[in-house]
Amino acid sequence: MSCGIPQGKNRSTRSSCFRALEMQPARFLSTVAILSFVFFFGLLVAEVEKEKKTFIFLVDPKQKPSPFVSHSHWYSSLLPTSATLVHHHHSLFSGFSAARLTVSQARSVGRCQGVVAALDDYLLRPHTTRSPSFLGLDLPASRLSATSYGGSAAVIGFIDTGIWPERPSFSGRGLGPLPRRWQGRCDQGAGFNRSKCNRKLVGARAFFAGYAAAFGITNTRRGDAVWSVRDHDGHGTHVASIAAGAPVDGANFYGFASGIARGVAPRARIAVYKACWDEGCMVSDVVAAVEAAVSDGVDVLSLSIGATSPAPSYELDPLAVATFRATIRGVFVSASAGNGGPTPQSVGNIPPWITAVGAGTIDRDFPAVVLLGNGTRIHGTSISLRHHKYLLGRRHHATPVVSAGIVAALANLTNLSVAGFIVFWKPSGHVSRIEIAAELKRLGAVATIVFHGEFDPGGIVAEAHVVPTVTVESQGAATIDAYLKTVKNPTAVIYSQGTAVHPGFGAPVAASFSARGPNPAVPWVLKPDLLAPGVDILGAWTGSVGPSGLRSDARQPKFSVASGTSMSCPHVSGVAALVRSARPGWSPGEIRSALMTTAMDAGISDEALENGGGPLAMGAGYLFPERAADPGLVYDLGYEDYVELLCGLNYSARAIHIITGGAGVRCGDARAGLWGFNYPAFVASAEDVTLMGEAVFQRRLRRVDVGKKGQWYRAEVASPEGYAVEVEPRRLWFDGSGEGERVEFSLALRCIEDSRNNGRRRWWWRGGSLTWREEGGEKRRVRTPIVVFSISDM
């Protein structure tokens, strides 16, 4: 029988894809041989059963066999009896997710007529006040905040760990009616009543079938407490408030960061799609959430999540496919770049249609001091001193100090005697710093001093430890090390200096942990795209768990402080909502262009590297929202641009069809797709430039500064060291024929000195820029980075 044709009502009757395996051993086999075969075959089957997992299948709905009354009936007929349907997809693409399939079974389904692709499910994890003011969004000075009405016309969708709706950041007081196009809903669940939604929180839905299947959870009743939209982690509540929280007077974290806490787009609406649970977020659930969000009518999708090892190719990555379809539908997708820095090529969320955001500092920190017994003063940072019973800030006595050395696991602390001591320690690898400090407290430590190593060599990250803790930088750590090795009875006093704001001084800095480029998949597309506030950010917090995330932490603050690209992503999401409200006709590509070409590029340092990480750490620069709604010109990106890029990357017609859903794709000149991709940056490897003689980029600009009859823009070039840059033409004329007016230009990049070895460094980069400056009038500037890099010896 043919694949997928129903043969009666019995579910056990299946297509030829799953014919029973028939085995007839040869008659001459001995009894022992037969028994051995059966034994080992049984082991093989058992091992295969262990490897059952979830797959996402894309189908061509036009090829549904006519006997089936519904797509659901068709999908069920394709599966073996042991499998279960997890999700149906019918909006962004047609298909389904199914659990409890072996790889061979999934391949068999994939070969059935009408099935376009079989994609692996995988696990993603969260990338875990003052910042809107630092970004220049305070009223009445901010023109963007005023013209966008605080983003009130925009809806931001958050795919995360849920929300704690009672927090004042999610109050709908003072907001007008919901946008008419909005089709979202609030799901009823244990601990979450539909009445929790309002004119601020306009949607709340949970997606858990993929997670339940992956972790063997049989209780999947939607009303059960475990599947509530309510946030029992804190991450989702925090990021939602950063992007779109309502103003809250008197916000603080135990006295730190006091003031008015508000989101970047304080009047934007929030829609929550909970797809992240205790162990992470299964991509099958995330894709279902993306589909729901787009159908509901979100303007922006905020994804502070990522995978440690994403699929090697876009057509094999369900999230890449879903976010592409969302982008083409007009949804701006921003995502965290990841916390794997400063390692080169550690950046995540790299599909070219996603805006990946790195993390930087703002002009506020939480200074603390470690005063050693010899009088040496070490400066650090802390948010865990003021609220503990054991106050070490009174300088009434010194406390003995002991070193725990390098701690790579909790087991390293087993034989450590620390009762009554301040413990100096250094985490190593992927150990939880929060858990290590908590274990030291359990062992009797009264406080700790921690050096984060490569993750945070500057000592800028303050964490909500359950024991008083000061973070110090590398030089301070070396000083403490030397003191402990040379003094018989070392002592110290630690104390907090509260909250310090340094307007115009010392910020921004690219955080060392923020993931770095170059883009490991498509080097011609700059990743991360932007840098935004992501260090020591205040945001609303859940009432379910303490700010450390430990179940033993009894603290219940309404706000907490956290760091990570998870925090930087919602800043860009919020600004995108403001721009969408102010410029509703702009596409996601045009919004990203406006954010990138107006970003701050000067004066940004790098916590990790002496010569700075440049564009490979900060992308086009640090987010500067006030310029974004009026950039003058934008690099517009659309469907055809992405198709041409995929052609240039040698994707097959079938792969492009899987990603885009488009049929009959015919690829032309591959070089045009790569070097003509209309992205607001010019990126090339030194090897490519050397091989070709010169790299020639083709770009086009669309005029968006309405109200003028004609305007000249002049090219200003800062060439990367060792390279020559030629722009043709050097001046662009826009005759004022309309806002859709486009002008093309080319940029040629040529090596003028041998930089291949470059001092035999493992990797290197050179940076420059092209700026189109308006002649006369407002004198807008449209800046794009030029980057040359080498990874030949990595």
Side-chain angles (χ1 to χ4, degrees):
M1 55 188 164
S2 61
C3 196
I5 299 297
Q7 302 294 321
K9 295 182 179 180
N10 190 335
R11 178 174 166 82
S12 63
T13 302
R14 294 292 165 182
S15 70
S16 59
C17 294
F18 298 101
R19 292 193 181 106
L21 181 64
E22 297 179 359
M23 291 194 171
Q24 297 181 359
R27 293 180 181 178
F28 63 85
L29 286 176
S30 67
T31 302
V32 174
I34 293 174
L35 291 175
S36 299
F37 175 81
V38 171
F39 175 74
F40 286 110
F41 181 73
L43 291 179
L44 176 62
V45 171
E47 187 64 27
V48 170
E49 287 299 311
K50 290 180 183 178
E51 296 177 356
K52 286 187 175 182
K53 55 187 296 187
T54 301
F55 292 85
I56 301 165
F57 298 94
L58 276 59
V59 306
D60 182 350
K62 297 178 181 178
Q63 295 193 43
K64 178 181 73 69
S66 57
F68 293 108
V69 295
S70 70
H71 283 86
S72 179
H73 188 199
W74 176 30
Y75 301 157
S76 296
S77 77
L78 299 174
L79 300 173
T81 54
S82 60
T84 57
L85 280 172
V86 173
H87 294 295
H88 292 183
H89 305 289
H90 53 80
S91 176
L92 289 182
F93 50 78
S94 295
F96 61 96
S97 300
R100 295 188 54 77
L101 288 164
T102 65
V103 172
S104 61
Q105 288 174 330
R107 288 173 179 168
S108 295
V109 175
R111 288 193 291 267
C112 291
Q113 182 179 350
V115 179
V116 177
L119 311 178
D120 284 7
D121 199 5
Y122 60 85
L123 189 70
L124 302 101
R125 298 184 187 277
H127 285 148
T128 204
T129 118
R130 173 67 188 167
S131 51
S133 297
F134 178 67
L135 293 174
L137 291 172
D138 285 339
L139 288 169
S142 171
R143 185 168 57 176
L144 175 58
S145 293
T147 57
S148 65
Y149 299 99
S152 62
V155 180
I156 306 176
F158 298 90
I159 299 179
D160 216 288
T161 64
I163 198 165
W164 196 266
E166 292 82 6
R167 291 302 183 230
S169 297
F170 309 123
S171 168
R173 186 178 297 115
L175 292 178
L178 276 58
R180 291 184 178 181
R181 70 181 186 286
W182 180 244
Q183 301 294 319
R185 69 173 191 262
C186 289
D187 287 342
Q188 189 87 5
F192 194 96
N193 192 285
R194 290 190 184 94
S195 63
K196 300 295 182 183
C197 288
N198 51 40
R199 290 183 172 183
K200 165 62 74 174
L201 179 59
V202 300
R205 302 173 65 177
F207 299 84
F208 53 82
Y211 182 87
F215 289 90
I217 303 173
T218 57
N219 178 14
T220 56
R221 293 178 301 171
R222 186 165 289 276
D224 193 85
V226 71
W227 305 123
S228 171
V229 181
R230 186 171 290 279
D231 182 10
H232 295 291
D233 178 272
H235 190 271
T237 299
H238 199 265
V239 299
S241 69
I242 291 170
V248 180
D249 197 8
N252 67 89
F253 177 69
Y254 293 103
F256 293 99
S258 299
I260 299 176
R262 67 178 183 86
V264 173
R267 299 180 67 82
R269 320 307 173 114
I270 292 171
V272 172
Y273 302 86
K274 183 174 180 178
C276 299
W277 307 91
D278 289 348
E279 299 298 328
C281 336
M282 293 307 298
V283 77
S284 55
D285 294 329
V286 173
V287 166
V290 171
E291 186 175 43
V294 175
S295 296
D296 289 347
V298 301
D299 298 281
V300 176
L301 263 179
S302 191
L303 305 174
S304 289
I305 55 179
T308 54
S309 55
S313 189
Y314 297 140
E315 85 276 14
L316 302 177
D317 184 351
L319 186 56
V321 174
T323 51
F324 177 85
R325 306 288 182 95
T327 300
I328 297 306
R329 296 280 190 93
V331 177
F332 180 91
V333 182
S334 59
S336 48
N339 299 332
T343 304
Q345 292 191 307
S346 55
V347 64
N349 287 315
I350 55 176
W353 41 87
I354 293 177
T355 300
V357 189
T361 62
I362 60 175
D363 58 351
R364 180 192 65 201
D365 59 12
F366 309 110
V369 173
V370 177
L371 184 62
L372 300 179
N374 62 4
T376 303
R377 188 184 301 267
I378 309 295
H379 294 279
T381 186
S382 176
I383 54 171
S384 58
L385 286 175
R386 287 188 171 186
H387 54 280
H388 289 273
K389 271 195 305 185
Y390 196 101
L391 293 177
L392 300 173
R394 302 301 183 189
R395 306 192 197 186
H396 55 284
H397 69 280
T399 305
V401 183
V402 65
S403 175
I406 297 174
V407 181
L410 288 174
N412 297 152
L413 306 176
T414 303
N415 299 318
L416 201 63
S417 178
V418 298
F421 283 84
I422 296 175
V423 180
F424 175 56
W425 59 288
K426 305 171 187 178
S428 175
H430 298 288
V431 64
S432 168
R433 297 180 299 278
I434 292 290
E435 291 182 1
I436 293 296
E439 178 64 9
L440 289 170
K441 178 184 179 182
R442 190 189 70 79
L443 293 173
V446 296
T448 82
I449 304 166
V450 61
F451 170 55
H452 291 151
E454 187 181 58
F455 171 83
D456 176 29
I460 61 177
V461 176
E463 296 181 304
H465 290 287
V466 296
V467 61
T469 297
V470 175
T471 303
V472 297
E473 45 81 36
S474 56
Q475 185 175 349
T479 301
I480 295 172
D481 258 335
Y483 171 69
L484 296 181
K485 291 175 181 177
T486 56
V487 175
K488 187 175 182 180
N489 296 304
T491 62
V493 172
I494 63 174
Y495 58 93
S496 168
Q497 294 181 315
T499 301
V501 178
H502 316 279
F505 176 76
V509 175
S512 179
F513 64 77
S514 186
R516 304 301 208 267
N519 187 330
V522 188
W524 304 273
V525 178
L526 183 63
K527 295 292 174 182
D529 300 82
L530 287 162
L531 201 66
V535 177
D536 297 342
I537 304 300
L538 184 74
W541 194 250
T542 177
S544 181
V545 68
S548 68
L550 301 176
R551 296 300 170 187
S552 59
D553 188 353
R555 295 174 292 173
Q556 289 195 333
K558 292 182 178 180
F559 291 85
S560 187
V561 173
S563 299
T565 56
S566 278
M567 284 70 247
S568 56
C569 169
H571 282 88
V572 169
S573 302
V575 174
L578 294 176
V579 176
R580 172 56 61 86
S581 293
R583 300 288 185 264
W586 284 9
S587 70
E590 289 168 334
I591 294 175
R592 175 169 63 179
S593 172
L595 298 182
M596 292 179 67
T597 60
T598 60
M600 180 195 315
D601 61 287
I604 300 174
S605 57
D606 191 319
E607 182 191 8
L609 304 173
E610 291 182 3
N611 65 335
L616 301 182
M618 69 179 185
Y622 198 97
L623 184 66
F624 197 134
E626 192 60 17
R627 301 172 180 168
D630 188 21
L633 307 173
V634 293
Y635 293 82
D636 57 332
L637 266 173
Y639 176 84
E640 295 297 334
D641 298 287
Y642 290 117
V643 170
E644 289 180 5
L645 174 65
L646 295 173
C647 286
L649 295 171
N650 293 320
Y651 277 69
S652 66
R654 181 177 181 275
I656 296 174
H657 173 63
I658 292 171
I659 297 167
T660 67
V665 173
R666 293 184 179 180
C667 292
D669 182 7
R671 289 169 61 95
L674 294 178
W675 305 102
F677 184 58
N678 204 41
Y679 179 80
F682 306 92
V683 185
S685 71
E687 293 75 20
D688 278 343
V689 177
T690 301
L691 180 65
M692 296 186 299
E694 67 175 5
V696 181
F697 301 86
Q698 304 292 334
R699 294 290 188 269
R700 68 178 181 273
L701 287 164
R702 184 171 83 88
R703 186 182 181 188
V704 292
D705 57 324
V706 295
K708 291 189 176 182
K709 293 183 179 180
Q711 185 62 56
W712 283 103
Y713 280 82
R714 181 182 71 257
E716 296 180 356
V717 175
S719 298
E721 182 183 351
Y723 290 83
V725 175
E726 294 293 334
V727 178
E728 180 61 36
R730 300 282 300 190
R731 297 175 77 211
L732 301 180
W733 169 249
F734 294 86
D735 60 18
S737 58
E739 189 174 347
E741 184 182 3
R742 291 171 173 83
V743 174
E744 297 181 351
F745 70 93
S746 66
L747 182 146
L749 181 64
R750 179 169 48 86
C751 181
I752 57 176
E753 66 179 45
D754 188 0
S755 56
R756 286 173 292 179
N757 293 326
N758 201 51
R760 297 184 179 179
R761 293 172 58 188
R762 293 185 65 245
W763 72 279
W764 55 267
W765 63 270
R766 293 286 180 266
S769 64
L770 166 65
T771 301
W772 290 104
R773 192 174 296 276
E774 184 181 24
E775 296 183 357
E778 298 289 337
K779 294 190 177 179
R780 298 174 180 86
R781 54 185 291 274
V782 184
R783 181 190 176 277
T784 46
I786 303 172
V787 186
V788 183
F789 67 90
S790 177
I791 55 172
S792 58
D793 294 327
M794 289 188 63

